[in-house]
Structure formats: C-alpha cells, structure tokens
Amino acid sequence: KLYEDEYVLVVNKPPFINSNKDFPNVEEVLKRKNKDYTVVHRLDKQTSGALIVAKEKKIFESFKELFRKRKVKKVYLSLVAGNFKKKSGKVNVPLDGKPSKTLFRVLEEFNGTS
C-alpha cells in the first residue's frame, strides 16, 4: 500500500501481474481479502508502478470520467538498457492494438543505461 483514504487505495503493482481481468490480477487479490474494490486504470502486465483502486462504485465512475476526458496526466519513470540518440522525442507505437503516443525525455545516462 502506497496511500489510502476513505475513497481510494493506491498500491504498488509488481511486474507480470495484471491490473484487472486475466488471472492473476490486483482486483482478484483484493477480493480475496474481502475488499470489493475496482481498479481505476491499468498498467501493462510487464510494468510495475502505482495503481489507483476505487473503494466505491461512484468513485470509480468519477475517475473513469476523468480518464475518458483525458484530464489525468500520466508520468512514468523508466530505466532503459542502452542510450538514446535523441534526448527527447515522441513515439507513436500502438499498444495492445490501440493508438498510443509517448513523449519521452532522457534524464540521465550511465553505464549504457538511460
């Protein structure tokens, strides 16, 4: 658990566990602990990071609307093997068959890692 209040729980999703759907997933783990919570967004299975979980259906619906209206800004910090030729840029590569746009900026490079 990274954060919790009366409305949301924020958990650190480990890599290779699904956010929701497909087994095993974070929602299923919470349900086993008698928590009928709903994952607000998803992270790719291979990705670790903070995952927002709504404690009530109306909170989930509010977050869903914020994501739908693109009012949520997502920021990821990654460690990448290799060095980039450009220190910033944009990548347009579909993820799971859906359009995806990623803006990136290299913060630091060391020992063949960015």
Side-chain angles (χ1 to χ4, degrees):
K1 171 171 76 169
L2 298 173
Y3 174 82
E4 185 173 13
D5 65 22
E6 61 186 288
Y7 307 107
V8 298
L9 170 67
V10 179
V11 297
N12 187 22
K13 185 192 91 59
F16 305 107
I17 299 289
N18 293 300
S19 301
N20 56 5
K21 301 180 182 166
D22 299 327
F23 188 79
N25 67 65
V26 173
E27 266 186 6
E28 191 61 37
V29 169
L30 291 169
K31 285 182 181 166
R32 282 195 211 147
K33 295 183 178 215
N34 296 319
K35 305 290 184 190
D36 194 21
Y37 297 165
T38 306
V39 171
V40 169
H41 62 100
R42 67 176 194 88
L43 295 173
D44 291 333
K45 182 177 181 177
Q46 301 83 352
T47 304
S48 64
L51 193 63
I52 303 169
V53 180
K55 291 184 171 184
E56 299 176 8
K57 188 71 171 171
K58 68 178 184 173
I59 301 302
F60 169 75
E61 293 298 331
S62 295
F63 270 108
K64 186 174 160 182
E65 187 67 11
L66 290 172
F67 275 88
R68 188 185 69 74
K69 289 182 176 179
R70 303 209 180 270
K71 299 284 186 182
V72 177
K73 181 180 178 182
K74 299 177 226 171
V75 178
Y76 301 92
L77 182 61
S78 301
L79 189 62
V80 179
N83 297 116
F84 288 82
K85 291 178 182 170
K86 294 171 51 178
K87 301 306 175 205
S88 65
K90 179 169 62 170
V91 178
N92 288 310
V93 176
L95 292 173
D96 297 330
K98 296 178 183 178
S100 176
K101 176 176 74 172
T102 301
L103 302 175
F104 73 90
R105 178 170 47 106
V106 176
L107 301 177
E108 188 175 350
E109 294 179 323
F110 50 96
N111 299 329
T113 305
S114 300

